[in-house]
Amino acid sequence: MKRVILLFLVFAGLTFGSCRRQTVMPQFDIVVTDTVAVRGGIPCRFQYAFTSIANADEAPALQAIQESNMLYFFGLEHFQVMDEYIGTLDESVPQWETEMEMAVESEARVVDTLLVYTISSSNYTGGAHGMYSINCHNYSIAGGYELALSDLFAA
């Protein structure tokens, strides 16, 4: 009788345990591009390092996070400037007198049940100093949605 009960408990544990939804943890890959474009004799270096979720196709939540990250990363002004700088010979585009540099990189890490995604950008187009920015985004790994500060802290 004890064996029957024990076998039943083991079977029930395996059956119900396998029904529980498992969260797929992200695996990261970095896509890097470094190019120099010359316009009017002035070189401009464009660099980017995009942190991609290599296994995004394994879970809808990871796929949603990947799509959001791509929109945030590639929607930056730097890429619009790069398209204008490289893609046109129109003289209406400003002619810079010094070497330019534009860089955008992202980092991602898992903290408990969150994926923390950070985008750092910098550009130097001449003058005393460059311009810098950092944007942070927090996602639920299980749900695939972005969290607001109000989701993380009680009011």
Side-chain angles (χ1 to χ4, degrees):
M1 184 68 171
K2 287 182 182 180
R3 267 192 202 169
V4 172
I5 292 173
L6 183 60
L7 286 172
F8 175 75
L9 291 175
V10 169
F11 176 75
L14 290 174
T15 302
F16 294 116
S18 65
C19 292
R20 200 171 11 150
R21 186 175 180 185
Q22 300 251 339
T23 300
V24 177
M25 298 306 285
Q27 297 171 356
F28 303 112
D29 189 19
I30 299 176
V31 179
V32 178
T33 294
D34 187 346
T35 188
V36 175
V38 179
R39 184 155 194 283
I42 308 297
C44 183
R45 166 168 259 142
F46 294 97
Q47 301 171 310
Y48 74 81
F50 175 69
T51 302
S52 174
I53 301 174
N55 62 333
D57 58 344
E58 293 179 16
L62 294 182
Q63 208 163 22
I65 293 170
Q66 174 79 342
E67 290 171 8
S68 291
N69 288 344
M70 289 175 71
L71 288 174
Y72 284 126
F73 189 87
F74 293 106
L76 293 175
E77 179 183 352
H78 294 69
F79 291 99
Q80 295 166 358
V81 171
M82 184 171 71
D83 285 344
E84 289 176 9
Y85 191 84
I86 293 174
T88 183
L89 295 176
D90 183 1
E91 294 305 315
S92 65
V93 176
Q95 298 293 309
W96 292 275
E97 297 177 5
T98 185
E99 184 174 324
M100 296 173 35
E101 185 171 320
M102 297 188 176
V104 184
E105 67 178 39
S106 62
E107 296 178 11
R109 67 177 173 265
V110 174
V111 178
D112 293 327
T113 61
L114 302 177
L115 187 147
V116 180
Y117 186 74
T118 305
I119 303 172
S120 303
S121 63
S122 65
N123 68 49
Y124 178 77
T125 57
H129 56 80
M131 295 175 53
Y132 309 93
S133 70
I134 297 175
N135 296 302
C136 298
H137 304 277
N138 300 296
Y139 299 95
S140 163
I141 294 173
Y145 53 86
E146 187 169 1
L147 298 163
L149 284 177
S150 60
D151 296 325
L152 301 172
F153 300 104

